[in-house]
Structures are given as structure tokens and as C-alpha cells.
């Protein structure tokens, strides 16, 4: 919901997906747990040598606590033989863009989709 407000688009999949929709997603999911409470998650797909990050979410209570960075670092460790990591987010989602840039992602391109400006970032692996 925080990202949707930042980018001005309320139909983001995580806001409209049902539990059944999420269960059917073909994603590998990493989670950050603290005392049995999910604090953050990262879902991704791997296609040959490319890792596509589908979603990265952190509980708003845990913003700026390092959970997002830790999940990305774990992904990079687990998929260290990948040639490339890719992710897209809203261009107005400055906190996410700053996080991705901090761990080595570079702007690949920008586009407008459904009236929302998106940025696509990528990182070569391994680093």
C-alpha cells in the first residue's frame, strides 16, 4: 500500500491478489522472520542465467531496518552463478530505487505502463 501511494497506482498485484492467486505464483520466496512474524519477503524467478525479482516487500514497521538489503544479499548469495539480476519498480518509489542502487543495480530503461512510470534496473552477477 505504501508503494501504491508513492507511485499513484492502486491496482498493484499485491493489493488485489487473493491468497489463492499468491499460492499459484511460480516464485521462489525468501522470507525474513523475527519471532515467528514475517517482516519481509522477496519472490523471484530464475530463467537460465537471469534472475527476475518479482516482488520485494517489507512490513512498514520494519522500514529502514536492513531487511530489504538482507533479502537482496541472500538472493545474490543463493543465485551467485546467475549472469544477471533484474527488477522493475515505480519511478516514484525512491526508497526502493535507492536500495537497489546501493547493492549494485543500475538503471536499464524507463517506460510508462498503465499510466505509471516504471524503471527497470539490473545488476550483473557475480559481484
Amino acid at each position: 500500500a505504501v508503494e501504491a501511494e508513492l507511485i499513484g497506482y492502486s491496482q498493484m498485484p499485491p493489493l488485489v491478489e487473493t491468497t489463492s492467486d499468491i499460492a499459484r505464483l511460480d516464485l521462489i520466496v525468501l522470507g525474513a522472520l523475527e519471532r515467528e512474524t514475517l517482516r519481509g519477503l522477496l519472490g523471484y524467478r530464475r530463467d537460465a542465467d537471469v534472475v527476475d525479482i518479482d516482488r520485494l516487500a517489507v512490513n512498514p514497521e520494519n522500514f529502514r531496518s536492513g531487511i530489504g538489503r538482507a533479502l537482496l544479499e541472500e538472493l545474490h548469495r543463493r543465485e551467485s552463478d546467475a549472469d544477471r539480476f533484474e527488477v522493475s519498480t515505480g519511478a516514484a518509489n525512491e526508497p526502493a530505487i535507492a536500495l537497489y542502487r546501493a547493492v549494485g543495480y543500475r538503471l536499464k530503461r524507463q517506460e510508462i505502463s498503465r499510466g505509471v512510470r516504471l524503471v527497470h534496473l539490473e545488476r550483473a552477477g557475480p559481484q
Side-chain angles (χ1 to χ4, degrees):
V2 173
E3 181 178 1
E5 187 174 325
L6 280 172
I7 67 173
Y9 182 65
S10 63
Q11 295 301 305
M12 292 176 56
L15 296 177
V16 296
E17 289 171 331
T18 66
T19 303
S20 297
D21 294 334
I22 294 168
R24 285 192 298 269
L25 293 174
D26 183 24
L27 296 176
I28 300 166
V29 178
L30 305 176
L33 295 171
E34 180 183 310
R35 289 183 231 127
E36 300 183 20
T37 299
L38 184 63
R39 300 297 179 180
L41 66 85
L42 184 151
Y44 70 97
R45 291 179 186 86
R46 177 147 182 186
D47 184 16
D49 290 330
V50 177
V51 173
D52 177 40
I53 300 170
D54 181 85
R55 58 194 65 212
L56 173 59
V58 175
N59 183 323
E61 295 175 6
N62 300 103
F63 282 175
R64 303 208 189 314
S65 68
I67 290 172
R69 179 185 285 261
L71 287 165
L72 285 168
E73 289 172 352
E74 179 61 18
L75 169 66
H76 299 147
R77 186 190 68 73
R78 286 180 183 225
E79 301 293 344
S80 62
D81 62 334
D83 287 340
R84 189 171 71 244
F85 296 85
E86 299 178 339
V87 66
S88 298
T89 191
N93 190 352
E94 294 176 11
I97 294 168
L99 170 61
Y100 291 120
R101 287 186 176 214
V103 295
Y105 286 75
R106 301 284 180 248
L107 182 65
K108 181 177 173 184
R109 71 179 190 280
Q110 295 187 40
E111 68 181 51
I112 296 178
S113 176
R114 299 180 189 164
V116 177
R117 183 174 297 275
L118 299 174
V119 294
H120 303 276
L121 302 112
E122 70 177 30
R123 170 189 153 132
Q127 295 196 6

